[in-house]
Amino acid sequence: MRIHDIRRRLREAGAGPSHEQRVLRLWSHALPRDSGRRLPHSFFPAGLMAELPAIEAELAGLARVHAVHPGADGSERLLVALADGQTVESVLLPRDGLCVSSQVGCAVGCQFCMTGREGLLRQVGSAEIIAQVALARLRRPVRKVVFMGMGEPAHNLDNVMEAIELLGTVGNIGHKNLVFSTVGDPRVFERLLQERVRPALALSLHTTRDELRRKLLPRAPRLTPEELVAAGERYARTTGYPIQYQWTLLEGINDSEEEIEGLVRLLSGKYGVLNMIPFNAVDGVDFQRPAWARCQQIARTLHERGILTKLRNSAGQDVDGGCGQLRARATGAGVAGQARPVTVDAASIVRRASGRPED
């Protein structure tokens, strides 16, 4: 279901703009019908009052929490069951943040990501995205929503932007606290600037070497790291929000001195911040996270070279931290009928990207 379907149904039941906004606000905030100073029966049309129980039941049926996995860091990873039986993951983050999923599966196929191993199963509707927020708000306050869960938001652009528009208005999330994450689909840079609610932008960079990036993100748009950063810089200067460059640290892959020099070259003077997150172990994927001391050294060196760098730990690492891991565990490491996971040889990726021969 999409948000415009809900709006249409409300209007067919006799809702005017103020009634429609009231229903959507209560839903997105997970508040009961009689919240607020005016009770619904005192100003809702009779036709809307008659239809409201059925509409509310349909909204409540969009998603439910299937499993909760609290982390030692205060995060909570939620496995969310959708109405058709598919599942996605949402993560309640420390400091009132929420990470939501925009697709069941993903078509990009990032080599270090569990979600991409099963491919794209289906899109998540805009109403299902808001349902993830509503479920989270039943558990704790949510003041920031990041589209960094399962899926590539650029591949579900209409649904994601519809959800962002609602969250940035009646959902009461500050526009800079809505974060659209993408591997760099060119459509994003044009579309987001056309919208009333312009989110902050997070770009998955992961390496400064074009050939290596094509190996790590095999079905990402063919933008070079230089082109990706240039597009991000234009968006940042137009919106006034710094770009968040995402970098999953992989031992022996993108933690070299060469990459440090490349980052200094690419990001010096840019309006952005580099988020470095050590890799989360995934069964069957032959990548490793660097030692924490090495991660700290990289971040410190970049800071000293003038690159604003934040070294982060992925929330809830003690409860299957990487996106897609809870779903994979719940479905037996895959969905029936999908291809079996294939072990990724990290060393082979590096050899091919650097032009070195295979062993």
Side-chain angles (χ1 to χ4, degrees):
M1 183 187 292
R2 292 186 59 171
I3 294 167
H4 70 248
D5 297 321
I6 301 169
R7 292 185 184 274
R8 185 184 67 250
R9 185 163 178 192
L10 290 169
R11 290 167 190 161
E12 289 172 350
S18 61
H19 310 131
E20 180 183 314
Q21 295 298 85
R22 168 74 177 268
V23 172
L24 293 174
R25 181 179 67 82
L26 294 177
W27 170 48
S28 64
H29 286 268
L31 294 172
R33 188 195 304 178
D34 58 358
S35 298
R37 289 174 293 179
R38 298 183 66 187
L39 295 177
H41 68 263
S42 68
F43 75 105
F44 275 9
L48 178 58
M49 286 299 298
E51 289 292 325
L52 205 50
I55 294 172
E56 290 171 339
E58 193 167 350
L59 295 178
L62 286 170
R64 63 180 175 82
V65 175
H66 179 75
V68 179
H69 299 259
D73 58 0
S75 65
E76 280 191 336
R77 288 191 168 266
L78 309 179
L79 185 64
V80 176
L82 305 177
D84 65 352
Q86 293 288 359
T87 55
V88 294
E89 295 176 31
S90 303
V91 186
L92 278 158
L93 305 166
R95 296 179 295 279
D96 300 338
L98 174 69
C99 178
V100 297
S101 293
S102 57
Q103 296 181 305
V104 181
C106 183
V108 177
C110 298
Q111 296 295 292
F112 46 82
C113 175
M114 176 67 80
T115 302
R117 293 168 68 186
E118 63 184 28
L120 176 63
L121 301 181
R122 76 165 175 86
Q123 306 289 15
V124 174
S126 55
E128 292 174 318
I129 294 172
I130 301 300
Q132 294 175 63
V133 178
L135 287 173
R137 280 176 160 167
L138 286 171
R139 308 183 69 81
R140 65 171 78 164
V142 172
R143 298 185 176 90
K144 180 175 184 176
V145 176
V146 299
F147 289 76
M148 297 183 182
M150 295 173 61
E152 165 54 49
H155 293 173
N156 191 17
L157 199 50
D158 289 342
N159 278 295
V160 169
M161 294 313 303
E162 197 170 58
I164 284 175
E165 195 277 337
L166 190 146
L167 291 171
T169 52
V170 298
N172 202 33
I173 304 289
H175 296 187
K176 68 179 180 180
N177 288 328
L178 292 163
V179 183
F180 187 111
S181 176
T182 177
V183 295
D185 193 303
R187 295 171 296 178
V188 168
F189 303 105
E190 179 180 354
R191 173 72 179 271
L192 267 58
L193 290 175
Q194 298 172 355
E195 301 295 328
R196 175 168 62 146
V197 177
R198 298 176 177 178
L201 195 56
L203 299 178
S204 296
L205 186 56
H206 303 304
T207 178
T208 63
R209 293 175 284 167
D210 184 41
E211 188 175 354
L212 176 58
R213 192 168 187 272
R214 294 188 183 205
K215 301 293 184 183
L216 294 175
L217 287 67
R219 290 185 289 279
R222 292 306 186 216
L223 293 179
T224 66
E226 290 78 9
E227 291 169 333
L228 186 63
V229 170
E233 181 71 3
R234 288 191 293 271
Y235 186 83
R237 297 296 178 181
T238 302
T239 60
Y241 306 149
I243 298 297
Q244 300 177 34
Y245 291 102
Q246 306 296 99
W247 190 284
T248 299
L249 275 166
L250 305 167
E251 185 178 34
I253 308 293
N254 62 359
D255 60 345
S256 65
E257 296 300 320
E258 177 187 357
E259 291 282 24
I260 292 175
E261 292 299 323
L263 283 166
V264 172
R265 172 179 53 82
L266 270 183
L267 299 184
S268 288
K270 299 298 190 297
Y271 188 29
V273 58
L274 179 65
N275 290 325
M276 286 195 149
I277 304 175
F279 172 67
N280 252 338
V282 176
D283 290 341
V285 176
D286 190 27
F287 290 113
Q288 301 294 325
R289 58 171 19 201
W292 185 247
R294 174 57 179 163
C295 298
Q296 290 178 309
Q297 180 188 28
I298 293 171
R300 183 167 54 249
T301 299
L302 287 167
H303 262 299
E304 292 170 352
R305 300 285 298 275
I307 307 302
L308 178 59
T309 305
K310 295 183 179 180
L311 181 60
R312 302 181 182 275
N313 255 326
S314 179
Q317 289 192 48
D318 52 332
V319 285
D320 284 347
C323 282
Q325 288 180 261
L326 291 182
R327 173 182 162 81
R329 187 171 69 184
T331 57
V335 175
Q338 298 300 310
R340 290 175 297 172
V342 177
T343 298
V344 176
D345 183 353
S348 177
I349 286 178
V350 171
R351 285 194 295 269
R352 292 197 305 270
S354 62
R356 297 200 300 273
E358 299 290 329
D359 292 335

